[in-house]
Amino acid sequence: GQIHNFSVDAHISENGVFLSDWAGWYPTPVDENGQPILRTITLEVTPIQGWSFVASGNPSEEGWKTPRPVDGMALVGNKHVVDKRLVTTPEGEVTVSVHLGANHADKAEYYLEAADDYLQLYVPLLGKYPYDHFAIVENFFSSGFAYPGFTVLGPRVVGMAPKSLAPGYLDHELLHNWWGNGVYVDATHGNWCEALTSY
């Protein structure tokens, strides 16, 4: 795929790994109408020295597992510095991790603090965060995609922190874990989840 927003389906190189949930990089059973059948997915990731990986769902002993039936699985990875924080919300604990390139590792605390603040704000309004984990991953191309349990942000956005933590960036991607990746949207009837997260 081309390396810019909405043109990449799958890319594996020394620059990073990006396997979207729509790229067909794993078997996808379909129903009689050709639509993907919702199912739980477990993904085992073989470690690579110096690389960290994040996938849809929750980390597990096997690798990554979706907590509910889904229509796809995404996987991203790179040579990142990883920082973590356990956030206690009114509805339980959420592990927040930030995966950044070495040149942006000094921005990690901004993202950990912002994710903590947003979880404290939105959990009382929307209910329990739908996953055990929320990962913020610096992507290697211009992006702003939300997946179940994680988001990828482009390097320019990451590098602008704390300015890039104004409303409309990280908060928007986090909210997609409730609207779009927790409760699905049928785009043929309007993309209401994008409107709701923007609101």
Side-chain angles (χ1 to χ4, degrees):
Q2 300 172 22
I3 304 301
H4 57 81
N5 222 0
F6 294 112
S7 295
V8 178
D9 287 338
H11 187 89
I12 300 173
S13 73
E14 283 297 313
N15 293 332
V17 172
F18 178 83
L19 299 174
S20 69
D21 52 0
W22 62 83
W25 57 277
Y26 49 82
T28 303
V30 296
D31 64 19
E32 61 277 357
N33 298 316
Q35 296 300 312
I37 296 172
L38 298 182
R39 68 220 184 273
T40 56
I41 301 174
T42 300
L43 176 66
E44 184 176 324
V45 179
T46 302
I48 298 174
Q49 182 68 33
W51 285 64
S52 66
F53 290 92
V54 177
S56 303
N58 294 321
S60 70
E61 289 183 9
E62 298 85 20
W64 294 86
K65 185 172 185 177
T66 61
R68 67 186 60 78
V70 296
D71 61 359
M73 176 73 96
L75 172 70
V76 297
N78 214 323
K79 300 168 197 157
H80 283 146
V81 177
V82 180
D83 290 282
K84 294 184 179 183
R85 175 185 291 187
L86 188 63
V87 174
T88 302
T89 77
E91 297 289 337
E93 294 180 335
V94 178
T95 301
V96 176
S97 64
V98 180
H99 302 242
L100 303 177
N103 60 327
H104 289 146
D106 62 328
K107 308 291 187 189
E109 193 59 32
Y110 291 119
Y111 285 93
L112 290 169
E113 194 64 35
D116 191 330
D117 290 346
Y118 287 137
L119 285 165
Q120 302 305 335
L121 174 65
Y122 291 119
V123 166
L125 294 171
L126 302 175
K128 182 174 172 32
Y129 177 72
Y131 303 94
D132 297 336
H133 187 263
F134 178 57
I136 302 156
V137 181
E138 180 179 357
N139 210 354
F140 55 96
F141 59 90
S142 176
S143 63
F145 297 128
Y147 295 99
F150 76 97
T151 185
V152 290
L153 300 174
R156 292 187 72 188
V157 171
V158 170
M160 291 189 308
K163 184 179 177 183
S164 61
L165 290 167
Y169 291 96
L170 184 62
D171 55 345
H172 179 92
E173 304 304 340
L174 173 66
L175 283 167
H176 272 305
N177 284 285
W178 282 275
W179 311 119
N181 294 322
V183 177
Y184 279 160
V185 61
D186 181 351
T188 62
H189 291 86
N191 196 349
W192 61 264
C193 74
E194 199 64 49
L196 187 56
T197 57
S198 296
Y199 174 77

